Amino acid sequence: MTWTNRLRLFGGLVVVLVIVAACTLVFNQRQSAVASTSAAIAAQEYAVGTDYGGTVTEEYVQEGDSVTKGEKLLQVQSLQLAQDIRKGVVGADTQTSAYDIGEDGFITFKAEVSGTVAKIDVKTGGYVQAGSELGTIHKEDSLFVTSEFTVTARDYGRIRNGAEVELRLPDDRTITGTVKSVSVETNDDGRAKTTVDVESPELSASPSSGITSPGTPVDATLHLRDDGALAGVTDAVRDFSRQIGL
């Protein structure tokens, strides 16, 4: 065998080994990752409720408006509140973080947190029942993703708090998050329907509108704990790929 043939044989062996190693790493990585069956952006919600029934006399904000803590939202006039004020049950000019009480049964509701007005349930002139909600605020910097995965009982045991989750937004931008909480419901076939809440600093700081508004669907890929012999090698290759921008 000539040296030329030996070099060709050696080169062919190297190429085969590289291909086999790459395929093995890809297979191992896919075995330790699972795609969501559904996922969507959510936010911490704060409901604006009233203990007194009455008529909405003023709207200071509209749905989609940004509000700061303490900003006026709605004003309600309540005959029951006016009676309680006259009886001394409730003091006039009472002020709390959630509302201000004025004379003649007027109560002005305020935002308890800064954020975005997600919903106004009662418009000006409408009547609100005691104990019902007037609206909802999405707290600023509180966006997260709630996602569902269907996994086997064995794979469920490989989910850990703080595990990495890749989130693909509707504009094909990918951001990284971590598992915040996990809940599970086992189906009759033994597969675990798992709900995972994912937090991401990059998502949390995004505006609650457009492609990052609550309710927007996303794709989530959860990385399970890798118990295989190639776990360390796979992690090293993945970290190197990120460093070089792949």
Side-chain angles (χ1 to χ4, degrees), residues 25 28 229-239:
L25 290 174
N28 188 67
L230 296 176
V233 178
T234 302
D235 291 340
V237 172
R238 186 164 59 232
D239 292 341

Side-chain angles (χ1 to χ4, degrees), residues 75-99:
Q75 185 182 74
V76 173
Q77 184 177 27
S78 171
L79 295 178
Q80 182 61 50
L81 176 59
Q83 293 176 4
D84 286 349
I85 291 175
R86 288 193 293 271
K87 294 177 182 178
V89 177
V90 178
D93 299 325
T94 299
Q95 295 183 350
T96 71
S97 62
Y99 56 82

Side-chain angles (χ1 to χ4, degrees), residues 40-167:
I41 296 175
Q44 292 184 22
E45 295 185 348
Y46 283 78
V48 181
T50 177
D51 293 331
Y52 285 93
T55 303
V56 177
T57 58
E58 191 75 41
E59 289 180 71
Y60 299 105
V61 295
Q62 301 295 324
E63 292 183 0
D65 288 351
S66 296
V67 294
T68 57
K69 184 177 180 179
E71 185 173 344
K72 294 180 180 180
L73 301 174
L74 297 160
Q75 185 182 74
V76 173
Q77 184 177 27
S78 171
L79 295 178
Q80 182 61 50
L81 176 59
Q83 293 176 4
D84 286 349
I85 291 175
R86 288 193 293 271
K87 294 177 182 178
V89 177
V90 178
D93 299 325
T94 299
Q95 295 183 350
T96 71
S97 62
Y99 56 82
D100 295 338
I101 294 178
E103 298 290 345
D104 299 327
F106 283 95
I107 179 169
T108 302
F109 294 92
K110 302 180 294 185
E112 291 193 86
V113 295
S114 298
T116 302
V117 179
K119 183 172 59 172
I120 297 294
D121 294 303
V122 185
K123 300 297 183 181
T124 301
Y127 185 83
V128 57
Q129 298 286 344
S132 60
E133 294 184 1
L134 297 169
T136 305
I137 295 176
H138 287 155
K139 183 181 179 182
E140 68 177 358
D141 299 334
S142 70
L143 294 179
F144 65 97
V145 168
T146 179
S147 53
E148 291 187 355
F149 300 86
T150 302
V151 297
T152 62
R154 178 176 179 274
D155 284 343
Y156 176 74
R158 298 165 62 195
I159 301 175
R160 66 189 190 281
N161 285 335
E164 180 181 301
V165 182
E166 293 180 1
L167 304 173

